[in-house]
Structure formats: C-alpha cells, structure tokens
Amino acid sequence: QVQLVESGGGLEEPGGSLRLSCAASGFPFSNYAIHWYRQAPGKERELVVTVTTIGRGINYADSVWGRFAASRDNAKSTAYLRMNSLKSEDTAVYYCNVELPGRNVWGLGTQVTVSS
C-alpha cells in the first residue's frame, strides 16, 4: 500500500524552528522526487519545495527561500523539511506528495501554527 505520513508539526513562536518528516512506504522511494506543499486557511495549496531523488531542494517558494531547507534519507524512505525563522504567515497544513505512474499520492498533512 502506497502511503505518505507527515509528522513534526505543532505550535511554534515566530522566529522558531520546526522539522517536518514525510515517511513513505509502498513504492521505491529513492526513485521519485518528493514535493512539499502547504495550504493556509482560505488559500490555495501551494508548492513549498521539491526534493530531488538525490536530496537536493529545488523550486523553493519565494516566501520560504533562505529559511526552509528540504532533504531526504533514502535509506529510511523519509523526506524532511527544516523550517527556520518561522513567521506567522507560515501557518498552514503541510503536505508531502509524490507523483507515481498513473497516480498522485498525498499524505494527510501536519498542522504548523506560528504564533506568540
């Protein structure tokens, strides 16, 4: 069964840091890029960053450039999103996504709330 499970979200103060994880199963993880998206209340889902198969973060959203860093551990079938210098506007549900042949797979998301 193909599955993505996000974790690591929570409540953090402005300026703080969080690290999100995306645990994958049911497909050859190392063969596919992983995408991190987020959706804030009342807004459309947006791409935050793509992690290539070798762990390079590309296509960072302008709003997170220089603050967020994506990575992965293929041996653990897990992708990560390190979020530094958090701002209130980073508050959203964060999802990981993989595009497999014939299907687009999403996790259930993890809530990130940035507030003092």
PDB file of all heavy atoms in Angstrom, residues 1-8 20-25 27 29 34 36 77-80 94-98 105-110:
ATOM      1  N   GLN A   1       0.839  -1.192   0.000  1.00  0.00           N
ATOM      2  CA  GLN A   1       0.000   0.000   0.000  1.00  0.00           C
ATOM      3  C   GLN A   1       0.877   1.246   0.000  1.00  0.00           C
ATOM      4  O   GLN A   1       1.716   1.423   0.856  1.00  0.00           O
ATOM      5  CB  GLN A   1      -0.892  -0.002   1.230  1.00  0.00           C
ATOM      6  CG  GLN A   1      -1.797   1.198   1.333  1.00  0.00           C
ATOM      7  CD  GLN A   1      -2.646   1.181   2.603  1.00  0.00           C
ATOM      8  OE1 GLN A   1      -2.518   0.273   3.423  1.00  0.00           O
ATOM      9  NE2 GLN A   1      -3.485   2.181   2.754  1.00  0.00           N
ATOM     10  N   VAL A   2       0.650   2.100  -0.995  1.00  0.00           N
ATOM     11  CA  VAL A   2       1.407   3.343  -1.082  1.00  0.00           C
ATOM     12  C   VAL A   2       0.907   4.311  -0.025  1.00  0.00           C
ATOM     13  O   VAL A   2      -0.290   4.551   0.107  1.00  0.00           O
ATOM     14  CB  VAL A   2       1.260   3.955  -2.475  1.00  0.00           C
ATOM     15  CG1 VAL A   2       1.964   5.295  -2.533  1.00  0.00           C
ATOM     16  CG2 VAL A   2       1.797   2.997  -3.546  1.00  0.00           C
ATOM     17  N   GLN A   3       1.843   4.872   0.721  1.00  0.00           N
ATOM     18  CA  GLN A   3       1.443   5.752   1.818  1.00  0.00           C
ATOM     19  C   GLN A   3       2.515   6.798   2.088  1.00  0.00           C
ATOM     20  O   GLN A   3       3.713   6.511   1.988  1.00  0.00           O
ATOM     21  CB  GLN A   3       1.201   4.915   3.079  1.00  0.00           C
ATOM     22  CG  GLN A   3       0.479   5.635   4.188  1.00  0.00           C
ATOM     23  CD  GLN A   3       0.116   4.698   5.332  1.00  0.00           C
ATOM     24  OE1 GLN A   3       0.653   3.611   5.467  1.00  0.00           O
ATOM     25  NE2 GLN A   3      -0.812   5.137   6.178  1.00  0.00           N
ATOM     26  N   LEU A   4       2.057   7.997   2.412  1.00  0.00           N
ATOM     27  CA  LEU A   4       2.911   9.077   2.890  1.00  0.00           C
ATOM     28  C   LEU A   4       2.341   9.559   4.213  1.00  0.00           C
ATOM     29  O   LEU A   4       1.136   9.820   4.305  1.00  0.00           O
ATOM     30  CB  LEU A   4       2.941  10.242   1.894  1.00  0.00           C
ATOM     31  CG  LEU A   4       3.511   9.974   0.502  1.00  0.00           C
ATOM     32  CD1 LEU A   4       3.296  11.192  -0.392  1.00  0.00           C
ATOM     33  CD2 LEU A   4       4.989   9.623   0.580  1.00  0.00           C
ATOM     34  N   VAL A   5       3.199   9.685   5.213  1.00  0.00           N
ATOM     35  CA  VAL A   5       2.738  10.125   6.532  1.00  0.00           C
ATOM     36  C   VAL A   5       3.620  11.275   7.019  1.00  0.00           C
ATOM     37  O   VAL A   5       4.817  11.078   7.255  1.00  0.00           O
ATOM     38  CB  VAL A   5       2.768   8.981   7.554  1.00  0.00           C
ATOM     39  CG1 VAL A   5       2.292   9.475   8.916  1.00  0.00           C
ATOM     40  CG2 VAL A   5       1.897   7.815   7.086  1.00  0.00           C
ATOM     41  N   GLU A   6       3.004  12.435   7.177  1.00  0.00           N
ATOM     42  CA  GLU A   6       3.726  13.600   7.669  1.00  0.00           C
ATOM     43  C   GLU A   6       3.689  13.645   9.193  1.00  0.00           C
ATOM     44  O   GLU A   6       2.722  13.193   9.808  1.00  0.00           O
ATOM     45  CB  GLU A   6       3.113  14.904   7.136  1.00  0.00           C
ATOM     46  CG  GLU A   6       3.061  15.019   5.628  1.00  0.00           C
ATOM     47  CD  GLU A   6       1.748  14.527   5.053  1.00  0.00           C
ATOM     48  OE1 GLU A   6       1.045  13.751   5.735  1.00  0.00           O
ATOM     49  OE2 GLU A   6       1.404  14.923   3.919  1.00  0.00           O
ATOM     50  N   SER A   7       4.721  14.227   9.769  1.00  0.00           N
ATOM     51  CA  SER A   7       4.769  14.435  11.214  1.00  0.00           C
ATOM     52  C   SER A   7       5.694  15.607  11.514  1.00  0.00           C
ATOM     53  O   SER A   7       6.421  16.076  10.631  1.00  0.00           O
ATOM     54  CB  SER A   7       5.248  13.172  11.934  1.00  0.00           C
ATOM     55  OG  SER A   7       6.560  12.831  11.533  1.00  0.00           O
ATOM     56  N   GLY A   8       5.669  16.047  12.772  1.00  0.00           N
ATOM     57  CA  GLY A   8       6.581  17.098  13.198  1.00  0.00           C
ATOM     58  C   GLY A   8       5.969  18.485  13.308  1.00  0.00           C
ATOM     59  O   GLY A   8       6.644  19.431  13.725  1.00  0.00           O
ATOM     60  N   LEU A  20       9.807  19.002   9.790  1.00  0.00           N
ATOM     61  CA  LEU A  20       8.757  18.077   9.376  1.00  0.00           C
ATOM     62  C   LEU A  20       9.378  16.841   8.741  1.00  0.00           C
ATOM     63  O   LEU A  20      10.429  16.923   8.107  1.00  0.00           O
ATOM     64  CB  LEU A  20       7.813  18.733   8.375  1.00  0.00           C
ATOM     65  CG  LEU A  20       7.185  20.070   8.790  1.00  0.00           C
ATOM     66  CD1 LEU A  20       6.199  20.536   7.710  1.00  0.00           C
ATOM     67  CD2 LEU A  20       6.518  19.976  10.139  1.00  0.00           C
ATOM     68  N   SER A  21       8.704  15.728   8.906  1.00  0.00           N
ATOM     69  CA  SER A  21       9.119  14.476   8.285  1.00  0.00           C
ATOM     70  C   SER A  21       7.994  13.935   7.412  1.00  0.00           C
ATOM     71  O   SER A  21       6.816  14.159   7.716  1.00  0.00           O
ATOM     72  CB  SER A  21       9.482  13.433   9.341  1.00  0.00           C
ATOM     73  OG  SER A  21      10.554  13.860  10.146  1.00  0.00           O
ATOM     74  N   CYS A  22       8.370  13.234   6.385  1.00  0.00           N
ATOM     75  CA  CYS A  22       7.416  12.559   5.495  1.00  0.00           C
ATOM     76  C   CYS A  22       7.915  11.137   5.315  1.00  0.00           C
ATOM     77  O   CYS A  22       8.881  10.906   4.589  1.00  0.00           O
ATOM     78  CB  CYS A  22       7.328  13.293   4.168  1.00  0.00           C
ATOM     79  SG  CYS A  22       6.374  12.423   2.895  1.00  0.00           S
ATOM     80  N   ALA A  23       7.259  10.202   5.992  1.00  0.00           N
ATOM     81  CA  ALA A  23       7.644   8.800   5.915  1.00  0.00           C
ATOM     82  C   ALA A  23       6.866   8.120   4.792  1.00  0.00           C
ATOM     83  O   ALA A  23       5.633   8.187   4.763  1.00  0.00           O
ATOM     84  CB  ALA A  23       7.377   8.109   7.244  1.00  0.00           C
ATOM     85  N   ALA A  24       7.589   7.469   3.894  1.00  0.00           N
ATOM     86  CA  ALA A  24       6.971   6.860   2.719  1.00  0.00           C
ATOM     87  C   ALA A  24       7.034   5.341   2.787  1.00  0.00           C
ATOM     88  O   ALA A  24       7.948   4.770   3.395  1.00  0.00           O
ATOM     89  CB  ALA A  24       7.672   7.343   1.456  1.00  0.00           C
ATOM     90  N   SER A  25       6.068   4.704   2.159  1.00  0.00           N
ATOM     91  CA  SER A  25       6.070   3.254   2.071  1.00  0.00           C
ATOM     92  C   SER A  25       5.278   2.820   0.836  1.00  0.00           C
ATOM     93  O   SER A  25       4.451   3.576   0.321  1.00  0.00           O
ATOM     94  CB  SER A  25       5.472   2.623   3.329  1.00  0.00           C
ATOM     95  OG  SER A  25       4.143   3.056   3.523  1.00  0.00           O
ATOM     96  N   PHE A  27       6.373   2.060  -2.262  1.00  0.00           N
ATOM     97  CA  PHE A  27       6.925   2.340  -3.586  1.00  0.00           C
ATOM     98  C   PHE A  27       8.438   2.559  -3.435  1.00  0.00           C
ATOM     99  O   PHE A  27       8.917   2.787  -2.323  1.00  0.00           O
ATOM    100  CB  PHE A  27       6.246   3.570  -4.206  1.00  0.00           C
ATOM    101  CG  PHE A  27       6.495   4.878  -3.488  1.00  0.00           C
ATOM    102  CD1 PHE A  27       7.484   5.745  -3.911  1.00  0.00           C
ATOM    103  CD2 PHE A  27       5.728   5.239  -2.384  1.00  0.00           C
ATOM    104  CE1 PHE A  27       7.714   6.949  -3.250  1.00  0.00           C
ATOM    105  CE2 PHE A  27       5.946   6.420  -1.716  1.00  0.00           C
ATOM    106  CZ  PHE A  27       6.947   7.284  -2.142  1.00  0.00           C
ATOM    107  N   PHE A  29      11.097   4.476  -2.970  1.00  0.00           N
ATOM    108  CA  PHE A  29      11.229   5.873  -2.553  1.00  0.00           C
ATOM    109  C   PHE A  29      12.365   6.587  -3.266  1.00  0.00           C
ATOM    110  O   PHE A  29      12.212   7.728  -3.715  1.00  0.00           O
ATOM    111  CB  PHE A  29      11.445   5.908  -1.041  1.00  0.00           C
ATOM    112  CG  PHE A  29      11.607   7.272  -0.458  1.00  0.00           C
ATOM    113  CD1 PHE A  29      10.504   8.087  -0.247  1.00  0.00           C
ATOM    114  CD2 PHE A  29      12.858   7.752  -0.098  1.00  0.00           C
ATOM    115  CE1 PHE A  29      10.637   9.351   0.303  1.00  0.00           C
ATOM    116  CE2 PHE A  29      13.015   9.006   0.459  1.00  0.00           C
ATOM    117  CZ  PHE A  29      11.900   9.820   0.660  1.00  0.00           C
ATOM    118  N   ILE A  34      10.110  14.111  -4.146  1.00  0.00           N
ATOM    119  CA  ILE A  34       9.053  14.354  -3.171  1.00  0.00           C
ATOM    120  C   ILE A  34       8.777  15.858  -3.124  1.00  0.00           C
ATOM    121  O   ILE A  34       9.709  16.671  -3.105  1.00  0.00           O
ATOM    122  CB  ILE A  34       9.452  13.863  -1.762  1.00  0.00           C
ATOM    123  CG1 ILE A  34       9.729  12.369  -1.765  1.00  0.00           C
ATOM    124  CG2 ILE A  34       8.364  14.220  -0.739  1.00  0.00           C
ATOM    125  CD1 ILE A  34       8.518  11.500  -2.085  1.00  0.00           C
ATOM    126  N   TRP A  36       6.870  19.102  -1.221  1.00  0.00           N
ATOM    127  CA  TRP A  36       6.227  19.635  -0.018  1.00  0.00           C
ATOM    128  C   TRP A  36       5.301  20.774  -0.450  1.00  0.00           C
ATOM    129  O   TRP A  36       5.732  21.702  -1.132  1.00  0.00           O
ATOM    130  CB  TRP A  36       7.251  20.164   0.974  1.00  0.00           C
ATOM    131  CG  TRP A  36       7.982  19.123   1.753  1.00  0.00           C
ATOM    132  CD1 TRP A  36       9.240  18.644   1.524  1.00  0.00           C
ATOM    133  CD2 TRP A  36       7.517  18.453   2.929  1.00  0.00           C
ATOM    134  NE1 TRP A  36       9.573  17.712   2.466  1.00  0.00           N
ATOM    135  CE2 TRP A  36       8.526  17.578   3.350  1.00  0.00           C
ATOM    136  CE3 TRP A  36       6.331  18.503   3.669  1.00  0.00           C
ATOM    137  CZ2 TRP A  36       8.406  16.757   4.473  1.00  0.00           C
ATOM    138  CZ3 TRP A  36       6.200  17.702   4.779  1.00  0.00           C
ATOM    139  CH2 TRP A  36       7.226  16.834   5.177  1.00  0.00           C
ATOM    140  N   SER A  77      13.598   5.986   3.727  1.00  0.00           N
ATOM    141  CA  SER A  77      12.379   6.323   2.966  1.00  0.00           C
ATOM    142  C   SER A  77      11.650   7.511   3.590  1.00  0.00           C
ATOM    143  O   SER A  77      10.419   7.501   3.765  1.00  0.00           O
ATOM    144  CB  SER A  77      11.438   5.124   2.866  1.00  0.00           C
ATOM    145  OG  SER A  77      12.024   4.075   2.120  1.00  0.00           O
ATOM    146  N   THR A  78      12.402   8.516   3.941  1.00  0.00           N
ATOM    147  CA  THR A  78      11.842   9.673   4.630  1.00  0.00           C
ATOM    148  C   THR A  78      12.395  10.961   4.034  1.00  0.00           C
ATOM    149  O   THR A  78      13.603  11.065   3.781  1.00  0.00           O
ATOM    150  CB  THR A  78      12.141   9.625   6.133  1.00  0.00           C
ATOM    151  OG1 THR A  78      11.612   8.419   6.693  1.00  0.00           O
ATOM    152  CG2 THR A  78      11.526  10.819   6.848  1.00  0.00           C
ATOM    153  N   ALA A  79      11.503  11.908   3.831  1.00  0.00           N
ATOM    154  CA  ALA A  79      11.885  13.254   3.413  1.00  0.00           C
ATOM    155  C   ALA A  79      11.676  14.210   4.575  1.00  0.00           C
ATOM    156  O   ALA A  79      10.840  13.961   5.455  1.00  0.00           O
ATOM    157  CB  ALA A  79      11.056  13.688   2.211  1.00  0.00           C
ATOM    158  N   TYR A  80      12.428  15.297   4.550  1.00  0.00           N
ATOM    159  CA  TYR A  80      12.390  16.253   5.656  1.00  0.00           C
ATOM    160  C   TYR A  80      12.223  17.671   5.119  1.00  0.00           C
ATOM    161  O   TYR A  80      12.644  17.993   4.008  1.00  0.00           O
ATOM    162  CB  TYR A  80      13.679  16.179   6.475  1.00  0.00           C
ATOM    163  CG  TYR A  80      13.979  14.812   7.022  1.00  0.00           C
ATOM    164  CD1 TYR A  80      14.865  13.959   6.377  1.00  0.00           C
ATOM    165  CD2 TYR A  80      13.367  14.369   8.193  1.00  0.00           C
ATOM    166  CE1 TYR A  80      15.138  12.697   6.870  1.00  0.00           C
ATOM    167  CE2 TYR A  80      13.637  13.106   8.698  1.00  0.00           C
ATOM    168  CZ  TYR A  80      14.523  12.272   8.039  1.00  0.00           C
ATOM    169  OH  TYR A  80      14.781  11.027   8.538  1.00  0.00           O
ATOM    170  N   TYR A  94       0.789  21.330   6.197  1.00  0.00           N
ATOM    171  CA  TYR A  94       1.871  20.960   5.296  1.00  0.00           C
ATOM    172  C   TYR A  94       1.684  19.514   4.846  1.00  0.00           C
ATOM    173  O   TYR A  94       1.465  18.620   5.668  1.00  0.00           O
ATOM    174  CB  TYR A  94       3.220  21.144   5.985  1.00  0.00           C
ATOM    175  CG  TYR A  94       3.622  22.591   6.091  1.00  0.00           C
ATOM    176  CD1 TYR A  94       2.974  23.448   6.987  1.00  0.00           C
ATOM    177  CD2 TYR A  94       4.624  23.133   5.288  1.00  0.00           C
ATOM    178  CE1 TYR A  94       3.314  24.792   7.076  1.00  0.00           C
ATOM    179  CE2 TYR A  94       4.977  24.473   5.369  1.00  0.00           C
ATOM    180  CZ  TYR A  94       4.315  25.291   6.258  1.00  0.00           C
ATOM    181  OH  TYR A  94       4.653  26.624   6.335  1.00  0.00           O
ATOM    182  N   TYR A  95       1.794  19.318   3.535  1.00  0.00           N
ATOM    183  CA  TYR A  95       1.588  18.008   2.926  1.00  0.00           C
ATOM    184  C   TYR A  95       2.827  17.596   2.146  1.00  0.00           C
ATOM    185  O   TYR A  95       3.484  18.425   1.524  1.00  0.00           O
ATOM    186  CB  TYR A  95       0.426  18.051   1.939  1.00  0.00           C
ATOM    187  CG  TYR A  95      -0.903  18.467   2.508  1.00  0.00           C
ATOM    188  CD1 TYR A  95      -1.275  19.807   2.536  1.00  0.00           C
ATOM    189  CD2 TYR A  95      -1.807  17.514   2.982  1.00  0.00           C
ATOM    190  CE1 TYR A  95      -2.506  20.198   3.035  1.00  0.00           C
ATOM    191  CE2 TYR A  95      -3.038  17.898   3.480  1.00  0.00           C
ATOM    192  CZ  TYR A  95      -3.379  19.238   3.513  1.00  0.00           C
ATOM    193  OH  TYR A  95      -4.604  19.617   4.002  1.00  0.00           O
ATOM    194  N   CYS A  96       3.094  16.303   2.115  1.00  0.00           N
ATOM    195  CA  CYS A  96       4.054  15.803   1.146  1.00  0.00           C
ATOM    196  C   CYS A  96       3.301  15.036   0.054  1.00  0.00           C
ATOM    197  O   CYS A  96       2.180  14.547   0.271  1.00  0.00           O
ATOM    198  CB  CYS A  96       5.136  14.950   1.780  1.00  0.00           C
ATOM    199  SG  CYS A  96       4.599  13.542   2.771  1.00  0.00           S
ATOM    200  N   ASN A  97       3.934  14.967  -1.092  1.00  0.00           N
ATOM    201  CA  ASN A  97       3.276  14.452  -2.295  1.00  0.00           C
ATOM    202  C   ASN A  97       4.299  13.746  -3.163  1.00  0.00           C
ATOM    203  O   ASN A  97       5.464  14.164  -3.236  1.00  0.00           O
ATOM    204  CB  ASN A  97       2.650  15.626  -3.057  1.00  0.00           C
ATOM    205  CG  ASN A  97       2.294  15.297  -4.483  1.00  0.00           C
ATOM    206  OD1 ASN A  97       3.087  15.566  -5.394  1.00  0.00           O
ATOM    207  ND2 ASN A  97       1.129  14.722  -4.679  1.00  0.00           N
ATOM    208  N   VAL A  98       3.858  12.685  -3.827  1.00  0.00           N
ATOM    209  CA  VAL A  98       4.698  12.004  -4.809  1.00  0.00           C
ATOM    210  C   VAL A  98       3.850  11.697  -6.032  1.00  0.00           C
ATOM    211  O   VAL A  98       2.683  11.297  -5.918  1.00  0.00           O
ATOM    212  CB  VAL A  98       5.324  10.716  -4.223  1.00  0.00           C
ATOM    213  CG1 VAL A  98       4.273   9.693  -3.852  1.00  0.00           C
ATOM    214  CG2 VAL A  98       6.348  10.135  -5.175  1.00  0.00           C
ATOM    215  N   VAL A 105      -0.080  10.829  -5.139  1.00  0.00           N
ATOM    216  CA  VAL A 105      -0.304  10.402  -3.761  1.00  0.00           C
ATOM    217  C   VAL A 105      -0.012  11.540  -2.791  1.00  0.00           C
ATOM    218  O   VAL A 105       1.032  12.198  -2.899  1.00  0.00           O
ATOM    219  CB  VAL A 105       0.579   9.190  -3.419  1.00  0.00           C
ATOM    220  CG1 VAL A 105       0.323   8.732  -1.983  1.00  0.00           C
ATOM    221  CG2 VAL A 105       0.309   8.046  -4.402  1.00  0.00           C
ATOM    222  N   TRP A 106      -0.909  11.735  -1.850  1.00  0.00           N
ATOM    223  CA  TRP A 106      -0.780  12.775  -0.828  1.00  0.00           C
ATOM    224  C   TRP A 106      -0.835  12.155   0.561  1.00  0.00           C
ATOM    225  O   TRP A 106      -1.531  11.169   0.790  1.00  0.00           O
ATOM    226  CB  TRP A 106      -1.937  13.772  -0.937  1.00  0.00           C
ATOM    227  CG  TRP A 106      -1.944  14.576  -2.184  1.00  0.00           C
ATOM    228  CD1 TRP A 106      -2.522  14.237  -3.376  1.00  0.00           C
ATOM    229  CD2 TRP A 106      -1.354  15.868  -2.376  1.00  0.00           C
ATOM    230  NE1 TRP A 106      -2.322  15.247  -4.289  1.00  0.00           N
ATOM    231  CE2 TRP A 106      -1.605  16.254  -3.705  1.00  0.00           C
ATOM    232  CE3 TRP A 106      -0.628  16.743  -1.552  1.00  0.00           C
ATOM    233  CZ2 TRP A 106      -1.157  17.475  -4.238  1.00  0.00           C
ATOM    234  CZ3 TRP A 106      -0.189  17.945  -2.077  1.00  0.00           C
ATOM    235  CH2 TRP A 106      -0.454  18.297  -3.399  1.00  0.00           C
ATOM    236  N   GLY A 107      -0.121  12.773   1.475  1.00  0.00           N
ATOM    237  CA  GLY A 107      -0.310  12.441   2.875  1.00  0.00           C
ATOM    238  C   GLY A 107      -1.494  13.203   3.424  1.00  0.00           C
ATOM    239  O   GLY A 107      -2.120  14.011   2.723  1.00  0.00           O
ATOM    240  N   LEU A 108      -1.789  12.964   4.691  1.00  0.00           N
ATOM    241  CA  LEU A 108      -2.920  13.635   5.327  1.00  0.00           C
ATOM    242  C   LEU A 108      -2.559  15.022   5.844  1.00  0.00           C
ATOM    243  O   LEU A 108      -3.453  15.813   6.167  1.00  0.00           O
ATOM    244  CB  LEU A 108      -3.451  12.784   6.478  1.00  0.00           C
ATOM    245  CG  LEU A 108      -4.073  11.447   6.066  1.00  0.00           C
ATOM    246  CD1 LEU A 108      -4.544  10.691   7.293  1.00  0.00           C
ATOM    247  CD2 LEU A 108      -5.210  11.652   5.085  1.00  0.00           C
ATOM    248  N   GLY A 109      -1.279  15.306   5.918  1.00  0.00           N
ATOM    249  CA  GLY A 109      -0.841  16.631   6.329  1.00  0.00           C
ATOM    250  C   GLY A 109      -0.533  16.728   7.810  1.00  0.00           C
ATOM    251  O   GLY A 109      -0.970  15.910   8.614  1.00  0.00           O
ATOM    252  N   THR A 110       0.245  17.761   8.141  1.00  0.00           N
ATOM    253  CA  THR A 110       0.559  18.070   9.529  1.00  0.00           C
ATOM    254  C   THR A 110       0.402  19.579   9.727  1.00  0.00           C
ATOM    255  O   THR A 110       0.862  20.364   8.893  1.00  0.00           O
ATOM    256  CB  THR A 110       1.967  17.583   9.915  1.00  0.00           C
ATOM    257  OG1 THR A 110       2.193  17.800  11.314  1.00  0.00           O
ATOM    258  CG2 THR A 110       3.063  18.281   9.124  1.00  0.00           C
TER     259      THR A 110
END
